[in-house]
Amino acid sequence: MNGGNLRDLRKKRGMSLNELAENSGVSKSYISYIERGVQKNPSITVLEKISKALDIELIQLIQYMNISNE
């Protein structure tokens, strides 16, 4: 998964890392790990929480994060 894509989507939605953490119930540090590529395989439960906070369907989030920026 490309965590940088999550960061891009979050910013497009006008959300800070703190806001996404608060709205999703996922810790700020864990989201940061995903965005920086430290955590490459977040659970479906975590992705569901993030997708709801970003107001995007889970499958769309997964597809978006699987797009490579290479």
Side-chain angles (χ1 to χ4, degrees):
M1 293 202 133
N2 186 339
N5 288 348
L6 174 58
R7 181 178 45 249
D8 293 344
L9 180 59
R10 173 177 57 77
K11 288 182 177 184
K12 284 180 186 176
R13 295 278 200 262
M15 289 183 125
S16 69
L17 188 56
N18 284 332
E19 289 171 320
L20 181 55
E22 287 177 19
N23 294 339
S24 67
V26 177
S27 75
K28 184 171 100 172
S29 61
Y30 194 77
I31 294 171
S32 177
Y33 286 159
I34 295 170
E35 289 185 351
R36 291 183 290 130
V38 175
Q39 173 52 262
K40 296 183 186 294
N41 295 307
S43 71
I44 290 295
T45 302
V46 166
L47 292 176
E48 277 181 323
K49 290 177 180 183
I50 291 171
S51 70
K52 286 179 184 175
L54 291 171
D55 194 28
I56 187 173
E57 294 292 326
L58 175 61
I59 189 67
Q60 291 174 309
L61 177 63
I62 291 169
Q63 289 170 341
Y64 192 82
M65 289 181 66
N66 279 324
I67 296 171
S68 177
N69 285 338
E70 296 174 15

